[in-house]
Structure formats: structure tokens, C-alpha cells
């Protein structure tokens, strides 16, 4: 029978607990990709504290890998959770074995019925030259044309309106699209960009282009077929 020094969290995970934990793996990859190579992201599982690391990205910053144990600070957090139920994310500064300064944040991961099942940790290595860190957070000016356009809006109608503006501008600047086919081309571009997933899109596109909703639906059926 498997034993553990920490039994308060029901060390034997349910299948649901394991599923919940795995769903965080992609988030770890996403955060590491977003912040850059100077950031380590770690997921600890409470199922086995001796081998708690079940996911790690950029583990070279602390020399850890999958199967590494929980840290002493992690154990202290576990004790605090057990005593107080406190699961608020914590940010702090610490140092790695090689003396690197890390800014870290840790949050508790919840499993079935809200049971704590692990820790999600982000460690930013601040010992690298700051310009080097900033460089990974800024676009490469030599390839600035690859930046992605994204509309940040507080309501769906703004998203639709801005997408319409961009679509109209793109189609009108395309000499291969004649006047007769302009509305159809705009509708197709909006469909490809997923705009018709928003409820108000059909009505707004219809009004802006000066055509009926029936015409919009006809175009959409043609494209989808």
C-alpha cells in the first residue's frame, strides 16, 4: 500500500483529480511561451510529495525535472493550507542553488469538489541582464510585419465593428475583387475570421453593407457548402 507523510488531502487521487491536473499542463506551456525562456513554470502534484513535479518548462533554471520533489516552501504552504484553508496565490523572491534571484508566484490547484491537488508555480529568473529579459518580451523589429492584429474591446459590437472596418479596408484594397463581388468577399473574410460566431454579427454586417440578412445567410450557406 502506498503511504505518504501528508495524508490530509487524500493522497490517493481520483481519476477526476488526475484529469484536472493534466488540464493545467497546457497552461504551463502557454505561460512559459508568453513570458519567455527566462521563466520556469512548474506543476506539483500532492499525490506524491517525493516526486511531486509532474510538469516543468525551462527546468534548467532550478535544475529540476519531472519526478523532482516538492520544495521546503511548498511543504510549508501545504501546512498552512491544512491549518487555515488559505489558498490565495503568493508572490515572493527567492534564490536558486546557483544563487540566481527568482521572483516567484504560487497558487493552489483544485481538483474534484475543490480539493487541493497541487501547486502551480512560476519562477522568473532575474539574474540575467535585464536588457536580455526585455528583449524576449519585445517584438523583433527586423520582423515587425509578423505581429498579429487583435481587437481588445469591452463589448461584442465593438469587436464586430472593428472586424468589419478591417475586412472592408482589406477587400477594397484588393484590385482582384470587382464591385459586384465586394460584399460577398467581405462576408467570406468575416466568416473565415470567425466573426459570425457573435450573435449580432449578421444584423450589423447586413446594415453596414446595405444588403438583406437573407443575402448574408445565402452567402454563408454557399461558403459552408
Amino acid at each position: 500500500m502506498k503511504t505518504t507523510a501528508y495524508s490530509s488531502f487524500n493522497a490517493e487521487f481520483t481519476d477526476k483529480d488526475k484529469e484536472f491536473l493534466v488540464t493545467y499542463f497546457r497552461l504551463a506551456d502557454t505561460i512559459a511561451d508568453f513570458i519567455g525562456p527566462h521563466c520556469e513554470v512548474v506543476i506539483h502534484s500532492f499525490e506524491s510529495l517525493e516526486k511531486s513535479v509532474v510538469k516543468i518548462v525551462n527546468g534548467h533554471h532550478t535544475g529540476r525535472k519531472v519526478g523532482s520533489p516538492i520544495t521546503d516552501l511548498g511543504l510549508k504552504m501545504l501546512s498552512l493550507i491544512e491549518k487555515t484553508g488559505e489558498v490565495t496565490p503568493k508572490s515572493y523572491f527567492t534564490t536558486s542553488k546557483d544563487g540566481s534571484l527568482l521572483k516567484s508566484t504560487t497558487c493552489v490547484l483544485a481538483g474534484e469538489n475543490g480539493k487541493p491537488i497541487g501547486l502551480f508555480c512560476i519562477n522568473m529568473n532575474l539574474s540575467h541582464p535585464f536588457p536580455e529579459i526585455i528583449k524576449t518580451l519585445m517584438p523583433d523589429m527586423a520582423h515587425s510585419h509578423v505581429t498579429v492584429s487583435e481587437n481588445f474591446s469591452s463589448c461584442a459590437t465593438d469587436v464586430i465593428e472593428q472586424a468589419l472596418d478591417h475586412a472592408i479596408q482589406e477587400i477594397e484594397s484588393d484590385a482582384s475583387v470587382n464591385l459586384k463581388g465586394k460584399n460577398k468577399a467581405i462576408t467570406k473574410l468575416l466568416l473565415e475570421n470567425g466573426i459570425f460566431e457573435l450573435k449580432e454579427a449578421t444584423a450589423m454586417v447586413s446594415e453596414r453593407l446595405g444588403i438583406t440578412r437573407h443575402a448574408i445567410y445565402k452567402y454563408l450557406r454557399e461558403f459552408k457548402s
Side-chain angles (χ1 to χ4, degrees):
M1 179 183 297
K2 183 173 66 175
T3 60
T4 176
Y6 193 84
S7 58
S8 299
F9 287 130
N10 299 325
E12 293 293 339
F13 275 26
T14 65
D15 289 339
K16 281 289 185 182
D17 289 331
K18 294 174 182 178
E19 289 175 12
F20 275 122
L21 201 61
V22 171
T23 61
Y24 293 108
F25 285 16
R26 191 178 299 173
L27 179 62
D29 288 321
T30 300
I31 291 175
D33 179 67
F34 173 69
I35 299 179
H38 302 99
C39 171
E40 176 191 75
V41 183
V42 189
I43 295 177
H44 291 278
S45 168
F46 291 161
E47 188 173 23
S48 172
L49 302 184
E50 290 79 7
K51 297 181 179 181
S52 69
V53 176
V54 291
K55 172 71 175 179
I56 188 165
V57 188
N58 296 329
H60 57 276
H61 290 291
T62 58
R64 293 178 296 174
K65 59 185 179 181
V66 170
S68 292
I70 196 167
T71 65
D72 52 350
L73 183 58
L75 291 171
K76 186 176 181 179
M77 288 183 176
L78 280 176
S79 179
L80 182 64
I81 294 167
E82 182 181 22
K83 291 176 182 177
T84 67
E86 178 61 57
V87 293
T88 304
K90 308 293 184 186
S91 293
Y92 49 92
F93 290 94
T94 186
T95 54
S96 63
K97 281 185 178 180
D98 65 4
S100 297
L101 176 65
L102 306 176
K103 181 173 184 181
S104 304
T105 187
T106 298
C107 74
V108 179
L109 299 178
E112 191 171 16
N113 300 318
K115 177 181 68 180
I117 58 172
L119 299 173
F120 193 102
C121 309
I122 304 173
N123 303 309
M124 184 74 174
N125 192 332
L126 301 178
S127 292
H128 290 268
F130 199 61
E132 185 179 325
I133 296 175
I134 289 296
K135 185 178 180 181
T136 66
L137 300 175
M138 299 297 289
D140 184 348
M141 299 312 294
H143 301 90
S144 58
H145 62 281
V146 300
T147 57
V148 177
S149 174
E150 184 172 7
N151 298 327
F152 297 97
S153 304
S154 59
C155 64
T157 55
D158 284 346
V159 174
I160 298 167
E161 192 168 329
Q162 290 182 57
L164 256 170
D165 288 339
H166 292 154
I168 291 172
Q169 183 179 1
E170 182 173 336
I171 297 302
E172 288 185 342
S173 63
D174 187 346
S176 67
V177 180
N178 59 36
L179 184 62
K180 185 177 179 180
K182 185 178 72 170
N183 287 341
K184 189 172 183 178
I186 292 171
T187 303
K188 183 177 182 181
L189 182 56
L190 292 171
L191 175 65
E192 291 172 347
N193 290 337
I195 298 302
F196 289 103
E197 296 297 329
L198 301 176
K199 294 179 180 179
E200 300 295 325
T202 302
M204 291 181 64
V205 173
S206 169
E207 182 178 353
R208 180 73 175 274
L209 299 183
I211 57 179
T212 65
R213 296 187 192 186
H214 176 74
I216 297 292
Y217 291 131
K218 182 181 178 182
Y219 290 153
L220 294 179
R221 284 195 299 270
E222 287 181 22
F223 301 141
K224 291 178 179 180
S225 64

